[in-house]
């Protein structure tokens, strides 16, 4: 059972273009939606995150758009650069009865930005 | 500041052997996690720990054992390695809050022949 569905699996854009990665979730109890960026040979690192009480969050060239009613959220990378080439993971988490943070990750999107 | 480290970084073993992957964090984070990353499957949670001596299963725990006698260490043991356990393993940690950043280690690439 895949609780967070991520698409596309791979994405190729030209330098300066917009990269868009989409995620959909099923569990309405999720209350935190981070995106992680992973460069080859490295561990993932938090890029940007959003809570469901806002519809958009922007940090530099990276924007998360959140649609609570559709249970979807997306990552937009404006003015994409070759240095943005990486694998991107969306995730969703909820608070268990014990208060722990149990994330569910999407399967990842491999982004390649051509110069 | 070392942060979170994993050892070894690369490991080749044979089917049936026991293998232990080490994870150490210097932040005193309460929560620690083990994931495996496979092409097409993304990151899948194996086990996690909320504190020393408290562990719980994740999505794919079969064939793995964990322990956490000290807050800073969270070793993952493959009791009898199988080829299907060939993967890249990531350890992560986070502070004890419900929506907190996970900090990942550099990963261990394990090959089971």
């Amino acid at each position: 059972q895949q609780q967070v569905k991520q698409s596309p699996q791979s994405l190729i854009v030209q330098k300066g273009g917009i990269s868009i990665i989409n995620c959909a979730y099923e569990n309405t109890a999720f209350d935190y939606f981070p995106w992680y960026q992973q460069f080859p040979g490295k561990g993932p690192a938090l890029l940007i995150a959003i809570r469901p009480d806002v519809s958009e969050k922007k940090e530099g060239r990276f924007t998360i758009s959140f649609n609570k009613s559709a249970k979807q959220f997306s990552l937009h990378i404006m003015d994409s650069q070759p240095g943005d080439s990486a694998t991107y993971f969306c995730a969703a988490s909820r608070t268990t009865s014990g208060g722990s943070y149990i994330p569910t990750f999407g399967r990842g999107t491999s982004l390649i930005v051509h110069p | 500041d070392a942060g979170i480290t994993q050892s070894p970084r690369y490991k080749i073993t044979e089917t049936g052997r026991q293998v232990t992957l080490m994870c150490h964090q210097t932040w005193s984070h309460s929560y620690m996690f083990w994931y495996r990353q496979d092409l097409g499957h993304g990151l899948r949670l194996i086990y996690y720990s909320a504190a020393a001596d408290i562990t719980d299963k994740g999505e794919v725990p079969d064939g793995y054992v964990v322990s956490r006698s000290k807050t800073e260490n969270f070793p993952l043991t493959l009791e009898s390695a199988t080829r299907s356990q060939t993967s890249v393993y990531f350890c992560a940690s986070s502070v004890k809050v419900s929506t907190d950043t996970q900090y990942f280690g550099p990963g261990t690439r394990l090959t089971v022949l």
Side-chain angles (χ1 to χ4, degrees):
Chain A
Q1 180 181 354
Q2 190 179 350
Q3 294 196 62
V4 178
K5 295 182 180 181
Q6 183 173 347
S7 63
Q9 186 173 358
S10 61
L11 180 62
I12 300 174
V13 301
Q14 294 296 316
K15 179 182 176 181
I18 302 173
S19 303
I20 302 175
I21 304 170
N22 301 299
C23 284
Y25 63 97
E26 299 175 359
N27 189 343
T28 55
F30 287 145
D31 55 12
Y32 181 64
F33 303 90
W35 285 88
Y36 284 80
Q37 180 187 55
Q38 182 185 28
F39 293 108
K42 304 292 185 182
L46 181 67
L47 179 64
I48 187 173
I50 195 169
R51 294 173 181 260
D53 53 346
V54 297
S55 60
E56 185 176 283
K57 183 174 182 180
K58 183 176 182 179
E59 290 185 2
R61 296 183 294 107
F62 300 89
T63 300
I64 301 178
S65 297
F66 186 83
N67 186 329
K68 188 175 182 178
S69 61
K71 294 187 288 185
Q72 295 176 348
F73 58 109
S74 60
L75 177 69
H76 296 238
I77 306 174
M78 310 300 289
D79 187 25
S80 298
Q81 299 296 311
D84 297 330
S85 297
T87 299
Y88 293 82
F89 293 96
C90 63
S93 70
R94 56 178 171 82
T95 304
T96 68
S97 58
S100 57
Y101 169 58
I102 310 299
T104 299
F105 284 85
R107 292 185 175 180
T109 296
S110 176
L111 171 66
I112 296 175
V113 181
H114 284 311
Chain B
D1 186 355
I4 184 165
T5 57
Q6 294 183 236
S7 61
R9 294 293 314 279
Y10 303 90
K11 177 71 176 179
I12 300 174
T13 190
E14 295 178 339
T15 300
R17 290 190 179 269
Q18 184 179 76
V19 177
T20 296
L21 309 183
M22 303 302 294
C23 178
H24 175 78
Q25 53 109 350
T26 60
W27 295 306
S28 298
H29 286 172
S30 294
Y31 286 85
M32 296 188 76
F33 308 82
W34 273 107
Y35 294 91
R36 59 177 291 174
Q37 183 175 19
D38 305 286
L39 194 63
H41 291 279
L43 291 162
R44 292 184 290 177
L45 183 65
I46 304 171
Y47 270 95
Y48 68 98
S49 169
D53 298 321
I54 300 175
T55 63
D56 206 349
K57 296 178 180 179
E59 179 185 356
V60 289
D62 294 344
Y64 303 95
V65 175
V66 294
S67 62
R68 196 167 176 205
S69 58
K70 294 183 178 181
T71 299
E72 61 268 29
N73 297 323
F74 191 38
L76 175 73
T77 297
L78 287 67
E79 294 187 299
S80 178
T82 65
R83 290 183 179 177
S84 66
Q85 292 177 311
T86 292
S87 185
V88 180
Y89 291 85
F90 288 99
C91 178
S93 70
S94 67
V95 180
K96 188 182 177 182
V97 292
S98 60
T99 55
D100 197 28
T101 303
Q102 285 198 323
Y103 296 90
F104 285 81
T108 294
R109 182 174 293 276
L110 176 67
T111 302
V112 183
L113 302 177

